[in-house]
Amino acid sequence: MSIIRTAETVSRLRCIACGATPDSAGQDFRCTACGDLLEFFFPGWPLDSPAFDPAALKSLWLDRRTSREALDQSGVWRFRELLPCIPNPEEHVITLREGNTPLYRLPRCARAVGVENLRAKHQGMNPTASFKDTGMTVAASSAHQGGFRWVACASTGNTSASMAAYAARGNMHSLVLIPDGQISWGKLSQSLDYGALTCQLGTDFDGCVRILNELVRQKPVYLLNSVNPYRIEGQKTAAIELMEQLAWEPPDHIIVPGGNLGNSSAIGKALLEMRELKLISRLPKLSIIQAHDANPFYRSVREFGGKKLEPMTADTLATAIRIGNPASWKKALRVLQATGGEVEEVTEVEIAAAKAEIGADGIGCEPASAVTLAGLKKLRRSGFVKAGERVVLILTGHLLKDPDFTIKFHRGDLFAGTPDAAETVQTKHLQRAPIVLDADLGAVIAALDAAERNS
């Protein structure tokens, strides 16, 4: 009735460019024939077998939600039939009960944008407060199974926090390379607390990646950035869980932030696999949104038809997507085209406004997540998204990942002294700065009455 793990060929590696199928991956997870990225495919899936029953598989996953087993309590490993096998999972799987993230309605945002059905899949509700945990549990478990003592990543913040936590749980050492001055201190504090060896380098994220790639070729260190195909496999479970939450009725649109493009690739990969397995009957349109000054993928699609990507020096306050040379752009392009999605860019002020609007719905998110709502506004104005269509935003990080951004926005200081300052007039109605008052009941009542009149 379910997908059966019978042989080691149940999952294989394949190059996304030349199609080579190596038996194992090198330290940098690149194809030795052409140098491009590797991905997993599953020749062992019995798609044509009469014994394969998609409904029974859905029922199995649902039943596991009441199990007391550690693997079943994970919102990633609960779907392990669609993941690469980790031998001896009781010994090697590292889990913090990741996944199981909520799907929220956004009624205020829906009214403001002009759509009838708007929801947010909040991946910021993972153990280390970002979507990275869903991929890290699989990749870190692979490192543990491989006997590595050290794992490493280059990071703008969320990856380092997640990697450090899973390494600590798995009794491994972790090395973090971060760009100096280009990371939220809230995220960095997590890496430090989880015991990572943290190195701030005088370069940007892409410079950190270059050094990391050289490092793993010389030292027995396991690479845990999103070029690692185990990461992608774990992250795709967010889409599987989303479909389950929607009773396996796909929405019309899924909108994802675009940084290094691993997450959009993972979600798109899951959608294609679920359709292949007849778990869903059709594909949602997967759209990817980037910040205006960190938009190499947007420019690749709009200017070059996706035939090439020109790296750029990225600059955005949404630090999680401040990436100028995204490693997974070819994977993202493939799922964008396969699902009929769109790519869009949004300004810094549009991001800040959208973040405050999501907060006003009682949810909250980090700045990079808010590009989804800002992008939806543009897609709605262009007619790509229709009023009656169902839309799901993927929120990738928690509000408290970057509290300084939020405080500065509400105080009106976020864009002070920048070219964007004049544009912030349109966001003043969203700002909720604290009011300084004397310790007097009358003053508090007056403030309350004023707020009531203006509500």
Side-chain angles (χ1 to χ4, degrees):
M1 65 87 177
S2 66
I3 295 174
I4 303 171
R5 297 190 181 279
T6 56
E8 293 179 0
T9 55
V10 75
S11 64
R12 291 289 306 275
L13 288 167
R14 175 175 59 198
C15 175
I16 66 169
C18 72
T21 56
D23 291 330
S24 61
Q27 289 288 90
D28 60 356
F29 292 101
R30 294 277 179 175
C31 175
T32 55
C34 73
D36 221 316
L37 297 181
L38 301 174
E39 67 177 358
F40 278 104
F41 72 108
F42 297 84
W45 284 351
L47 300 178
D48 299 324
S49 170
F52 175 62
D53 183 355
L57 191 56
K58 294 174 184 178
S59 179
L60 172 66
W61 291 337
L62 196 60
D63 288 345
R64 284 176 179 161
R65 297 196 64 170
T66 60
S67 169
R68 296 181 183 274
E69 297 295 325
L71 286 184
D72 295 341
Q73 292 183 345
S74 164
V76 171
W77 296 103
R78 184 161 65 87
F79 303 107
R80 52 190 173 272
E81 285 74 17
L82 305 193
L83 298 176
C85 183
I86 300 292
N88 302 318
E90 293 79 9
E91 179 182 353
H92 295 302
V93 166
I94 306 168
T95 176
L96 291 168
R97 298 189 184 181
E98 55 289 314
N100 301 311
T101 57
L103 180 65
Y104 294 117
R105 289 190 180 274
L106 299 177
R108 290 189 179 186
C109 291
R111 288 193 296 271
V113 175
V115 295
E116 296 173 9
N117 191 321
L118 178 61
R119 304 188 191 199
K121 176 68 169 166
H122 205 327
Q123 293 296 91
M125 299 302 181
N126 269 289
T128 74
S130 87
F131 75 98
K132 304 287 188 177
D133 294 347
T134 56
M136 202 60 67
T137 181
V138 181
S141 298
S142 172
H144 194 272
Q145 189 273 329
F148 284 86
R149 294 185 67 248
W150 280 90
V151 296
C153 72
S155 180
T156 57
N158 285 331
T159 299
S160 62
S162 183
M163 181 195 70
Y166 281 85
R169 293 293 293 180
N171 198 29
M172 296 182 290
H173 302 291
S174 58
L175 169 67
V176 172
L177 304 184
I178 60 172
D180 190 20
Q182 300 179 38
I183 183 174
S184 161
W185 287 104
K187 299 173 185 178
L188 181 57
S189 68
Q190 291 179 276
S191 303
L192 301 178
D193 220 34
Y194 301 144
L197 171 60
T198 303
C199 301
Q200 295 180 253
L201 306 184
T203 182
D204 59 9
F205 171 80
D206 301 302
C208 292
V209 170
R210 286 191 293 271
I211 292 174
L212 179 62
N213 285 334
E214 294 172 7
L215 172 70
V216 299
R217 294 187 189 105
Q218 298 184 32
K219 290 287 187 178
V221 176
Y222 190 86
L223 179 65
L224 279 177
N225 277 97
S226 60
V227 296
N228 184 321
Y230 285 96
R231 280 271 311 273
I232 301 302
E233 293 303 301
Q235 286 170 212
K236 78 183 185 185
T237 59
I240 304 171
E241 185 176 83
L242 171 63
M243 292 303 113
E244 183 183 67
Q245 290 169 317
L246 294 173
W248 302 98
E249 287 293 329
D252 298 291
H253 297 272
I254 297 176
I255 303 180
V256 189
N260 214 22
L261 301 174
N263 200 38
S264 48
S265 304
I267 290 171
K269 186 175 190 289
L271 295 174
L272 294 169
E273 290 176 351
M274 283 188 285
R275 185 181 64 172
E276 181 184 14
L277 291 165
K278 297 181 173 57
L279 296 168
I280 57 175
S281 59
R282 61 180 178 84
L283 294 174
K285 293 181 175 68
L286 180 73
S287 294
I288 300 169
I289 315 298
Q290 294 201 292
H292 177 269
D293 291 325
N295 66 348
F297 185 65
Y298 171 85
R299 289 167 48 221
S300 172
V301 174
R302 293 296 181 92
E303 297 176 17
F304 308 116
K307 292 182 172 59
K308 66 175 182 177
L309 181 138
E310 292 185 347
M312 65 182 293
T313 300
D315 183 21
T316 173
L317 293 174
T319 56
I321 54 173
R322 188 190 283 166
I323 296 170
N325 188 18
S328 298
W329 73 273
K330 291 180 183 178
K331 291 183 178 182
L333 178 67
R334 183 176 60 188
V335 300
L336 188 78
Q337 294 172 338
T339 65
E342 185 60 279
V343 60
E344 192 51 89
E345 63 174 357
V346 292
T347 68
E348 296 296 289
V349 174
E350 288 172 332
I351 295 170
K355 181 183 177 308
E357 289 171 324
I358 293 170
D361 252 322
I363 304 303
C365 63
E366 72 169 345
S369 298
V371 302
T372 55
L373 180 62
L376 172 59
K377 293 178 183 180
K378 286 194 165 183
L379 297 176
R380 181 75 184 92
R381 288 195 295 268
S382 71
F384 182 77
V385 175
K386 307 296 191 298
E389 292 182 316
R390 296 183 301 155
V391 182
V392 175
L393 309 180
I394 304 296
L395 305 184
T396 48
H398 196 279
L399 168 69
L400 295 179
K401 282 284 189 173
D402 196 349
D404 287 346
F405 183 105
T406 306
I407 294 296
K408 288 178 180 177
F409 173 80
H410 287 288
R411 286 180 173 170
D413 302 332
L414 186 61
F415 299 106
T418 73
D420 294 317
E423 193 182 343
T424 60
V425 173
Q426 63 184 282
T427 69
K428 285 192 178 297
H429 70 287
L430 296 169
Q431 295 172 3
R432 299 289 183 268
I435 303 170
V436 180
L437 300 171
D438 291 331
D440 177 75
L441 175 61
V444 174
I445 290 175
L448 178 64
D449 290 343
E452 175 64 22
R453 290 192 298 272
N454 295 327
S455 64

